Amino acid sequence: MQLPEYPESYWRRTAELPAFPRLTRDLETEFAVVGGGLTGLTTAYLLAKEGRRVALLTADRLLGGTTGYTTAKITAQHDLIYDELIAHFGEDKARLYYEANAGALAFMRALAAEHGIACDFVDEDAVVYATREEGLHKLDKEYAAYQKLGIPGERYDTLTLPFGATAALSMKRQARFHPAPYAAFLASEIVRLGGEIFEETTMDKFHDGERASVTTKDGYTVTCDSVAACSHFPFFDNGFYFARLHAESSYVIAIKSPYDYPGGMYITANEPKRSIREVTYGGEKLLLIGGESHKTGQGECTIAHYETLKRFAEDTFGVEEIRYRWSTHDLVSTDKVPYIGYAREGTPNLLVATGYRKWGMTTSAVAGRLLADLMLGWDNPYAELFGPSRFQADPDMGTLAKETGDVAYHFVKGKLEWLKKDPDELGLDEGAAVRIHGRRCGAYRDHEGKLHVVDTTCTHMGCETEWNAGDRTWDCPCHGSRFTFDGEVMHGPAKKPLGRL
Ligand SMILES: Cc1cc2nc3c(=O)[nH]c(=O)nc-3n(C[C@H](O)[C@H](O)[C@H](O)COP(=O)(O)OP(=O)(O)OC[C@H]3O[C@@H](n4cnc5c(N)ncnc54)[C@H](O)[C@@H]3O)c2cc1C
Ligand code: FES
């Protein structure tokens, strides 16, 4: 079974999203929300709903970021997390984490039902399952945490599914949906309620002051009372977020299978991670199979990750066709709890939401509510738990030291690597780091035979980017910036393109 030649997300492909203009003038508003993913849309919607003036500005089209490439499970079962949260933060905060995410699921369910949003919202149980002894042990600890926190869950000794599961833990009545119609509804409501949306508008710099302002890359200024950075990686410069977050890439294939899938959203408790669920598209059922996570820019050849998922799908379910394949990355905070709230001490007019650890469907609704409440000057019971300033008191400094060491390792490794490959050796649609006149460069030969050569040194802090053969991108192993094959920035923290040679 062949992999589709070009990656294509099912969500983006079917998105019927309205188009909005780019910003071509200075703008004055009450609140500016930066980012057209689910976080930005939810925040702007909740502010507009309060009758406040809001402008949402996004670099790409709506859902051009990670939300357009998710698997769209809406669940408070964030893999295994509750046992770890109790150990790090205590029982009360672990319970708050659950309540925040369960509340977010309820909010999304109610919104979809109340407005009849045709977003294929389906209630389903979320299940973590173990295929090995190590997974079984973790599952038991997680189940004990569910019981302590009062989370409705059920523990099973077997599963009648072909995964080889030895045990499983379910969280009842979670959900899945199609994020594009849901996002389209939020966008149309923002506009109906008097808000403005600007696409293809990249925000560059935040300026503090009596009133906040943000300048766009095209040189226009947005002046407002406060700014919410919902740009996945924060678009502003300060706050050391690059040292407090790391990026993880994951892969998904959507297959047509003869297997009669009985429903449910499954994820493994042990390695290798596999995430499995069903979607219905045009009356036809497809299975989404995800996994193969690794730190962005640090995996093996990316095509190999798709091949591994394909083999798993063939062995487990049988495959008639692979319809889509895609990969994307999400950001992970040092203590696994997202950063949502005031971006840095002493700047009350700059807020941030990031570090969702691949659980951004419920977290975007948690963040939307929390950011909107803070911008409106209201209390929110989850402000302390998610507050980015908790970092100062974070007991898990070991993780940060490890991250910093990892960055230093990749910085030096990239510089010392001795490359023998010559650009002439590259076949059609092949890319690699090559040596030209003794210098490390990145070369990609496209389908027409044209060679695109870039300086592989990341414009963020100088690590050497690596070739991603699956997506035809240059990915940075240090803080996860991604660039197109000819060097344009796809994801920050880098803001400038790779040098073209
Ligand atoms: C493979 C995979 C599967 C996943 N599956 C699930 C799942 O099943 N369930 C779940 O809960 N979560 C899942 N996630 C996680 C979830 O998709 C993300 O956490 C979530 O979509 C992040 O949303 P966001 O709005 O914060 O960011 P994004 O969707 O990335 O939105 C950020 C927006 O900001 C814009 N932007 C960036 N920089 C600027 C700038 N300078 N100026 C203006 N705009 C800017 C971008 O263009 C983009 O539109 C998955 C993640 C991955 C990687
Ligand atoms: S993303 Fe930081 S050096 Fe590349």
Side-chain angles (χ1 to χ4, degrees), residues 82-364:
Y82 292 101
D83 175 55
E84 210 174 325
L85 286 179
I86 292 175
H88 274 242
F89 295 94
E91 230 175 278
D92 289 348
K93 286 200 169 146
R95 192 172 291 107
L96 279 179
Y97 184 98
Y98 171 72
E99 278 172 19
N101 285 285
L105 163 61
F107 163 81
M108 295 173 82
R109 179 182 281 129
L111 199 70
E114 187 187 337
H115 297 277
I117 308 170
C119 59
D120 303 341
F121 198 102
V122 176
D123 286 351
E124 270 196 338
D125 293 351
V127 183
V128 200
Y129 69 96
T131 55
R132 295 200 194 146
E133 193 60 33
E134 155 221 351
L136 188 66
H137 179 62
K138 288 181 184 169
L139 216 61
D140 283 335
K141 286 171 77 177
E142 190 73 354
Y143 183 47
Y146 277 27
Q147 288 177 312
K148 264 190 207 154
L149 301 175
I151 298 175
E154 206 169 323
R155 170 82 168 71
Y156 305 91
D157 285 332
T158 50
L159 279 181
T160 49
L161 284 158
F163 311 150
T166 48
L169 174 61
S170 74
M171 199 179 271
K172 296 287 169 194
R173 202 166 170 246
Q174 306 297 293
R176 58 180 168 92
F177 78 146
H178 193 311
Y182 183 85
F185 167 80
L186 294 177
S188 63
E189 279 296 282
I190 292 167
V191 173
R192 188 182 69 77
L193 295 164
E196 293 178 279
I197 298 181
F198 299 95
E199 290 182 319
E200 297 179 329
T201 302
T202 304
M203 308 314 285
D204 194 20
K205 290 211 158 38
F206 168 82
H207 310 274
D208 201 359
E210 211 166 290
R211 292 204 81 204
S213 67
V214 205
T215 43
T216 72
K217 260 200 170 156
D218 296 336
Y220 299 104
T221 302
V222 179
T223 312
C224 55
D225 290 346
S226 56
V227 179
C230 308
S231 48
H232 201 225
F233 195 91
F235 74 92
F236 54 85
D237 286 330
N238 299 337
F240 288 97
Y241 283 90
F242 65 84
R244 302 160 61 178
L245 293 163
H246 75 262
E248 279 189 16
S249 294
S250 318
Y251 301 77
V252 185
I253 57 174
I255 63 163
K256 187 156 167 44
S257 166
Y259 181 72
D260 190 14
Y261 190 76
M265 307 183 292
Y266 294 88
I267 192 164
T268 33
N270 48 262
E271 296 296 331
K273 276 276 167 222
R274 296 288 175 258
S275 165
I276 301 154
R277 79 168 187 86
E278 191 176 55
V279 293
T280 304
Y281 176 46
E284 182 181 66
K285 289 184 172 175
L286 299 177
L287 279 181
L288 296 187
I289 297 171
E292 293 293 292
S293 286
H294 60 83
K295 277 195 172 175
T296 300
Q298 298 186 22
E300 53 180 320
C301 166
T302 45
I303 287 288
H305 294 294
Y306 289 114
E307 292 289 346
T308 306
L309 288 184
K310 187 182 101 172
R311 270 197 305 280
F312 171 80
E314 283 168 345
D315 295 347
T316 313
F317 304 107
V319 179
E320 286 168 1
E321 195 187 333
I322 301 172
R323 286 286 170 79
Y324 306 103
R325 71 169 169 98
W326 69 89
S327 90
T328 186
H329 76 243
D330 207 8
L331 300 164
V332 184
S333 70
T334 48
D335 59 12
K336 297 192 182 172
V337 173
Y339 300 126
I340 309 169
Y342 297 114
R344 50 191 203 222
E345 303 258 321
T347 316
N349 49 12
L350 179 63
L351 297 98
V352 72
T354 187
Y356 294 176
R357 202 177 62 95
K358 290 176 265 178
W359 296 108
M361 297 299 101
T362 51
T363 313
S364 58

Side-chain angles (χ1 to χ4, degrees), residues 468-490:
N468 172 337
D471 294 342
R472 299 165 180 88
T473 55
W474 292 102
D475 297 352
C476 183
C478 287
H479 312 106
S481 290
R482 296 184 70 193
F483 304 85
T484 60
F485 62 78
D486 54 358
E488 291 302 323
V489 179
M490 287 174 68

